[in-house]
Amino acid sequence: MNIAQYLDSTYLKTPEQSGISHEETLQKDKELAQEAIDNDIFAVMIRPDYVSEIKKFIQERNSNVVVGTVIGFHEGTYSIDEKIAEASKAIEDGADELDFVINYTAYLQGDIELVREEFVKCTKLSLEHQKVAKWIIEIAALTDEQIADLTKKISTWAEENFSENELSKIFVKSSTGFYQTAEGKPNGATFEGITIMLSNAGKLPVKAAGGVRTPEDAEKMIKMGVKRIGTSSALGLIKNESSSEGY
Ligand SMILES: O=C[C@H](O)COP(=O)(O)O
């Protein structure tokens, strides 16, 4: 199976998190973009600060590699206005796809109206600019019942507010890859979590992200019905190599 066209090749560590400078991070993002161009990988997924430079880098090489970025990363607790502002800037800078972290803390506290409002407003902004919106629900923070419920709610809100044609541009995504779990527990996409998402996403496509490290797991998820995979091990996956660590 050619998995390259399913992949969002990801580098999302801030300079502080990786202990390198802004310039070195930009250099890493450029290497990621070049790898994507050379290997026909669908997209690169990078921090908002680097979108304009990486978009330019890709355009200068006449490539169709898509530029994705993250909004409200990684805890999702930004206010709706903050998410709108960050997304607007990313759109202005040339991002093609926006991966929003949903306010799963508000969801867990029962503030469903806030979550619905941010979903509708931010998705509307994305679609008005012909951008893809993906909603990270952070499955490691949720019980199986909550994964099912939140996925179903997102699917229902999408159907209530957007046209049939727009639904394929609204993804439900599993994980940031940055959530802190107890030692040894997976913090990203699990087969169980993805199965629950797929059963409840209705017409929305599902993106698996976080901890996808082997080509076998990626292929299995694609066969299950996942439409996109976010991974910081993209090159290894398409070269048919497994890795225990991303980045
Ligand atoms: O959104 C994508 C994730 O950050 C990728 O997670 P990963 O580094 O575990 O592959």
Side-chain angles (χ1 to χ4, degrees), residues 10 12 73 173 175-178 209-213 230-233 247:
T10 298
L12 293 173
F73 205 80
K173 172 176 168 183
S175 321
T176 61
F178 284 72
V212 182
R213 298 280 173 268
T231 175
S232 52
S233 308
Y247 297 108

Side-chain angles (χ1 to χ4, degrees), residues 95-106:
D96 304 298
E97 301 197 345
L98 305 170
D99 288 25
F100 295 89
V101 186
I102 210 155
N103 195 334
Y104 61 87
T105 305

Side-chain angles (χ1 to χ4, degrees), residues 25 41 43 72 75 79 84 103 105 114 127 130 150 192 195 200 213 219 239:
T25 305
I41 291 174
E75 295 179 334
S79 69
I84 291 280
N103 195 334
T105 305
L114 183 146
L127 297 176
Q130 290 79 49
L150 184 51
E192 297 72 25
T195 302
N200 290 279
R213 298 280 173 268
E219 282 191 22
K239 297 221 175 287

Side-chain angles (χ1 to χ4, degrees), residues 13-224:
K13 282 189 179 168
T14 60
E16 294 71 33
Q17 285 165 339
S18 51
I20 59 176
S21 67
H22 176 87
E23 288 67 32
E24 287 166 325
T25 305
L26 177 60
Q27 188 50 37
K28 268 184 177 284
D29 286 348
K30 285 184 178 171
E31 285 164 19
L32 201 75
Q34 190 61 55
E35 257 172 41
I37 294 168
D38 294 342
N39 292 281
D40 206 21
I41 291 174
F42 185 79
V44 285
M45 178 64 52
I46 52 171
R47 285 264 174 184
D49 284 352
Y50 304 92
V51 166
S52 62
E53 294 262 26
I54 296 304
K55 182 74 180 182
K56 191 164 151 256
F57 180 91
I58 290 171
Q59 280 176 337
E60 282 170 357
R61 284 153 187 81
N62 296 316
S63 164
N64 293 325
V65 168
V66 161
V67 177
T69 193
V70 286
I71 306 296
F73 205 80
H74 68 278
E75 295 179 334
T77 47
Y78 287 19
S79 69
I80 299 175
D81 286 348
E82 285 167 333
K83 283 182 180 167
I84 291 280
E86 194 176 31
S88 301
K89 169 80 167 60
I91 291 170
E92 213 177 284
D93 285 349
D96 304 298
E97 301 197 345
L98 305 170
D99 288 25
F100 295 89
V101 186
I102 210 155
N103 195 334
Y104 61 87
T105 305
Y107 169 78
L108 290 171
Q109 290 168 348
D111 196 350
I112 309 301
E113 183 45 31
L114 183 146
V115 182
R116 191 195 66 80
E117 194 184 335
E118 72 166 2
F119 169 79
V120 174
K121 286 188 171 162
C122 296
T123 305
K124 191 163 183 281
L125 174 77
S126 308
L127 297 176
E128 274 171 3
H129 291 86
Q130 290 79 49
K131 309 299 177 187
V132 167
K134 311 196 198 90
W135 286 91
I136 306 172
I137 63 171
E138 200 66 290
I139 62 172
L142 308 176
T143 63
D144 288 356
E145 291 69 31
Q146 289 163 343
I147 296 170
D149 179 59
L150 184 51
T151 305
K152 193 171 268 183
K153 280 188 165 59
I154 291 172
S155 172
T156 305
W157 296 332
E159 294 213 18
E160 285 170 354
N161 289 280
F162 303 105
S163 72
E164 188 78 16
N165 286 344
E166 291 171 319
L167 299 181
S168 64
K169 300 187 183 78
I170 308 169
F171 283 68
V172 191
K173 172 176 168 183
S174 63
S175 321
T176 61
F178 284 72
Y179 185 75
Q180 292 298 322
T181 50
E183 191 68 30
K185 288 243 174 102
N187 74 344
T190 58
F191 291 116
E192 297 72 25
I194 295 297
T195 302
I196 299 170
M197 290 175 70
L198 286 164
S199 313
N200 290 279
K203 294 178 178 161
L204 304 189
V206 170
K207 173 176 170 181
V212 182
R213 298 280 173 268
T214 70
E216 292 75 21
D217 284 358
E219 282 191 22
K220 188 170 164 189
M221 284 183 180
I222 293 165
K223 284 185 184 145
M224 285 163 66

